[in-house]
Amino acid sequence: MRYTHRSFILLVAYIVCACALVSCGAGGTSETTTTAPPVLEAFSGNIANTPSDAIPVGAPLGVAADDAGNVYVADHNYIISKITPTGVTTPIYDARRVFAYLPSTTGDIASDRTGNVYIANISNDDLVKISRDGKVNVLFGGSYNSPTGSVRPIAYFHANGITTDKGGNVYMITTNNAILKFTPDEILTTLNCTNETGSAPRCNLFHGLAIDSVDNFYTLDTSNNTIYKISPAGLVTMLAGSPGLSGSTDGMGSAARFNLPKSIASDNADNIYVADSGNNTIRKITPAGMVTTLAGSAGIMGRADGTGAAARFNTPYSVTTDNAGNIYVDDIGNTSIRKITSAGVVTTFPANFSIDGIGTTARFRAPEGIATDSAGNAYVVDSYNATIRKITPAGGVTTLAGIGGLYGSTDGMGTAATFQRPLHVATDRADNIYVTDDTAKIRKITPTGVVTTFAGTPGESGSRDGTGSAASFSSPSGLATDSADNIYVADTGNATIRKITPAGVVTTVAGTVGAHDTTDGTGTAAHFSYPHSIATDNARNVYVAGDDATVRKITPNGIVSTMTGIPGVYHFTEGSLPGGLLSIKGMAIYGTSLYITTGRGVAVVRNLPNK
C-alpha cells in the first residue's frame, strides 16, 4: 500500500490483497469503470452504533523494581513489561487480554522483593497481583469483570499511589483519605489520615507513596509543590517545599522548592527521591529534610546520560529504587527508563523495545503509520523508538533509518539519521519513503536508507507554500502518493491539504488555514476540521478524514465534497452514501473499495467512484 494509514491497516492490507501486497500501491490496480452505486458496509470487527473508544498508545506510566534488579514498566498500551538487568524485555501482563472490559488505565505499579507485581486502579479500582509465575489475581476492589471470579469488595478507594515494604505488605494511598494495607495473608486494614492539628483528613490531595524502615509514609501534593510525611498513626506533617510556591531551590525543609513533583520513592537508608517533573530533575531528601538535586538541571529539557547536573531528562514521571540503592526513572518525554546510581550517575537502562528479528521475536514501541513498496516490503513508523522499520514478506524486521530512542533531526544514512516524532509514512513508484516528522517537516528515505529533509524546516511551524525548506507545515500527519509521485499531506494544524511535487514544490490544494469546519467547496474555499488521514485512487482523487466522522473527496481540479458521514455525528449506518461513520483512525484504497479503520473495526465503501 502506498497510502498512509495507521498500523491497524496492515492487517486490512493482507486481508484485502490476499498476501499480494505488491498490487496495493498507487498505480498497482487497473482502472475500472464503476457502475453500481457506492455503498458503506461493515467489513470486520464490532462496529457498533456508538462512538469509538479512543485507545491511548505507547507512553510509559509507572515503574517498579525488585531485589534482583528487574524493572517493571506500565504503559498506555495496558501492558506491564519486565526488563532484566541485561535489557531483555518481555510483556508479563496485557490487561486487554485479561479483562473483558477494557480498563481505563494501568495506573501505578509496585513490586515486592521476590518479583510479585502489584497494580492499582487497573479497572473499577481493583488491586491486581501478578505473581512471579505469571498468575493474575484481583485481590480486592469493585471489579465486575475480574478474570479470577469473585473479589473482596471494599468502599470506593481510587488509589493515587502504591508501594510495598520488606515484609511483602502492599500499601495504597486513596482519594477517600486513607492508606490501605494488604498483608500477604490477605488481611486488609485502613489507616486514616489527619492533619497537623488532628482535624480534617487530607490524604485525598496526595499522589505517590513511599515507606521507610520504621513505617513512616511519604507522599506529595503536585499542585502545591510540597512533600509530606505521614506517621504510622496517620498524622500528616510537611517535609519539604512550601504550599503554592514553585521553583528549583535546594535547601532544608520549607526552604526548598519543587515544580510539579509527580512521584516519590525511598531507599534502604530512608532517603526520599522525587521525580520533579516540571524541573526535569530528580531530587533527594535526607531523613532530616535536606533537599538536593541528584540528577538533571532545572529548566533544561533533553536526553543525555551523565553525572548529576550533566544529565538531562524530559518530564520524569515515575521513580522507584532497588535493594542496591539504584534509582529508576520513567522518563516519559523520552519514552525510556533511566537508571541513577546513588552517586548520581545517569544511564539509559537497556530496555530494548527496538529489537530486529523474525516475526514475534521483533519488538516495537508504539508503531503508527505503515506502507508497502513494489516488492511487498512493509515500512512501519516505530514512533516512540523514532525509527523506520522494514518488514520483509517473510516477516524479517530490520531498522532502515534512525536509532531506537534517540531523537533529533539529523539527515544521513540509516542509523546515522535521527527522527524527532515520526508518525505517518507513504511510498512512491520508485520505492522512496516519505515520513511526516515532528510538527513541521517531511522526510524522504531512499530505498538504500539515505534520509533527507524533503520539505519544511525542523521546529519551524507555519503555512507557507514554497520549495523544500522554504515551505512550512503545522503538525502534518497523514501522507499519500498518487500515480505521478505527487505527495499529499494532511496538514492537521493548518486544516489544509498540501501537495508536494517530486521536485519538492509545496502548494495548498484545499482548505483555509485556521478554518476548522466542514464546508465543501473548491480549493481554498473548502474547510477541513483537523484532517489526519489521507488516501488517493488511480484517478488522482484524494480522500481525507479528520475528527468529524466524515470522509471528504477532493477531485484533481480541487472540488471538495463530503462523500460519506455526517459531520460530528458518530453513528455507523450501512447502506447508500452518505452513511454514518464512527471516529476514523486510518484509510486505505484497493481497487474500487475504500477501507476505513475505526476504534471498533473496519468499514468499507464499495463501488468507489473513480472519476
Side-chain angles (χ1 to χ4, degrees):
M1 259 174 276
R2 305 279 169 87
Y3 317 107
T4 184
H5 26 274
R6 297 181 186 272
S7 55
F8 196 106
I9 291 292
L10 182 58
L11 174 62
V12 179
Y14 278 90
I15 293 172
V16 174
C17 300
C19 297
L21 292 176
V22 62
S23 64
C24 295
T29 57
S30 60
E31 291 194 36
T32 59
T33 301
T34 301
T35 57
V39 293
L40 177 66
E41 302 173 358
F43 183 68
S44 69
N46 181 21
I47 302 183
N49 293 330
T50 55
S52 168
D53 291 327
I55 301 177
V57 178
L61 282 172
V63 62
D66 65 22
D67 279 5
N70 299 301
V71 175
Y72 304 89
V73 181
D75 70 22
H76 270 301
N77 285 319
Y78 313 109
I79 293 173
I80 308 298
S81 297
K82 176 182 177 180
I83 309 168
T84 68
T86 59
V88 177
T89 307
T90 55
I92 62 170
Y93 174 82
D94 187 340
R96 297 168 300 181
R97 298 179 182 273
V98 174
F99 287 89
Y101 173 82
L102 194 63
S104 59
T105 177
T106 44
D108 200 7
I109 68 171
S111 62
D112 61 23
R113 301 182 66 179
T114 60
N116 297 306
V117 179
Y118 301 89
I119 314 164
N121 194 29
I122 276 287
S123 176
N124 204 30
D125 296 299
D126 298 322
L127 174 64
V128 177
K129 177 182 179 180
I130 308 170
S131 301
R132 287 171 297 171
D133 59 4
K135 180 181 178 181
V136 178
N137 186 26
V138 179
L139 299 180
F140 63 80
S143 180
Y144 55 85
N145 59 339
S146 165
T148 57
S150 61
V151 296
R152 180 189 313 220
I154 64 168
Y156 174 80
F157 70 88
H158 190 79
N160 281 343
I162 183 172
T163 192
T164 60
D165 65 16
K166 294 183 183 300
N169 300 298
V170 184
Y171 302 88
M172 291 183 295
I173 191 165
T174 73
T175 54
N176 58 343
N177 306 305
I179 294 176
L180 302 180
K181 177 181 179 181
F182 196 77
T183 71
D185 297 328
E186 299 189 356
I187 297 173
L188 178 66
T189 57
T190 301
L191 172 67
N192 291 311
C193 301
T194 59
N195 68 9
E196 293 91 335
T197 63
S199 56
R202 53 189 301 169
C203 286
N204 61 317
L205 299 175
F206 299 146
H207 291 80
L209 190 65
I211 190 170
D212 67 16
S213 60
V214 291
D215 294 338
N216 293 301
F217 297 96
Y218 300 86
T219 185
L220 52 85
D221 183 348
T222 299
S223 60
N224 276 313
N225 299 302
T226 45
I227 313 300
Y228 290 87
K229 178 179 179 179
I230 306 174
S231 74
L235 180 64
V236 180
T237 57
M238 191 176 300
L239 178 67
S242 185
L245 298 179
S246 64
S248 59
T249 304
D250 290 336
M252 178 65 75
S254 60
R257 297 289 180 267
F258 298 86
N259 185 7
L260 299 177
K262 291 291 187 181
S263 182
I264 195 166
S266 61
D267 65 14
N268 289 338
D270 293 342
N271 296 298
I272 304 300
Y273 300 92
V274 177
D276 198 5
S277 181
N279 282 322
N280 292 300
T281 57
I282 306 303
R283 314 291 290 280
K284 176 181 178 180
I285 310 174
T286 67
M290 175 59 71
V291 180
T292 56
T293 300
L294 177 67
S297 185
I300 303 178
M301 179 184 295
R303 179 192 174 110
D305 291 340
T307 301
R312 297 288 180 267
F313 299 88
N314 185 352
T315 320
Y317 188 86
S318 184
V319 63
T320 192
T321 60
D322 66 15
N323 195 45
N326 298 301
I327 303 104
Y328 299 90
V329 179
D330 178 355
D331 193 7
I332 193 169
N334 286 318
T335 63
S336 60
I337 307 300
R338 315 293 292 281
K339 179 180 179 180
I340 311 173
T341 69
S342 58
V345 178
V346 180
T347 55
T348 299
F349 194 69
N352 197 343
F353 290 96
S354 183
I355 299 174
D356 293 337
I358 301 295
T360 57
T361 65
R363 293 290 182 269
F364 297 84
R365 187 71 167 169
E368 289 271 351
I370 188 168
T372 59
D373 66 14
S374 60
N377 299 299
Y379 298 92
V380 177
V381 176
D382 197 1
S383 184
Y384 278 34
N385 276 324
T387 56
I388 309 302
R389 314 288 290 280
K390 177 180 179 179
I391 309 174
T392 68
V397 179
T398 56
T399 300
L400 178 67
I403 303 173
L406 183 61
Y407 302 88
S409 300
T410 304
D411 291 336
M413 171 70 77
T415 56
T418 56
F419 296 84
Q420 187 63 40
R421 183 68 170 90
L423 284 176
H424 297 268
V425 63
T427 57
D428 65 17
R429 292 178 300 171
D431 293 339
N432 295 300
I433 303 150
Y434 300 90
V435 182
T436 51
D437 186 25
D438 197 5
T439 60
K441 60 185 179 294
I442 312 299
R443 313 290 291 279
K444 177 181 179 179
I445 310 172
T446 68
T448 58
V450 178
V451 180
T452 56
T453 300
F454 189 59
T457 300
E460 183 182 324
S461 294
S463 58
R464 293 192 310 271
D465 289 338
T467 301
S469 60
S472 58
F473 301 84
S474 178
S475 299
S477 53
L479 286 173
T481 56
D482 67 14
S483 56
D485 291 340
N486 297 300
I487 306 159
Y488 296 88
V489 181
D491 197 1
T492 306
N494 284 321
T496 57
I497 307 303
R498 315 290 290 279
K499 176 182 176 180
I500 312 175
T501 69
V505 179
V506 180
T507 56
T508 301
V509 298
T512 301
V513 174
H516 295 276
D517 59 57
T518 56
T519 303
D520 289 337
T522 300
T524 56
H527 298 168
F528 294 86
S529 178
Y530 299 100
H532 60 68
S533 297
I534 196 165
T536 60
D537 65 18
N538 286 332
R540 298 187 189 176
N541 296 301
V542 179
Y543 301 87
V544 180
D547 65 347
D548 55 4
T550 64
V551 176
R552 315 282 292 284
K553 178 180 177 180
I554 309 173
T555 65
N557 56 3
I559 298 174
V560 179
S561 60
T562 301
M563 187 179 73
T564 192
I566 302 170
V569 179
Y570 300 90
H571 186 89
F572 183 77
T573 52
E574 293 185 306
S576 58
L577 301 186
L581 282 170
L582 298 172
S583 178
I584 299 169
K585 306 297 182 183
M587 299 188 299
I589 291 176
Y590 179 71
T592 59
S593 295
L594 172 66
Y595 294 86
I596 304 165
T597 61
T598 76
R600 296 186 183 273
V602 182
V604 59
V605 177
R606 300 198 185 278
N607 307 322
L608 195 68
N610 59 7
K611 299 293 185 181

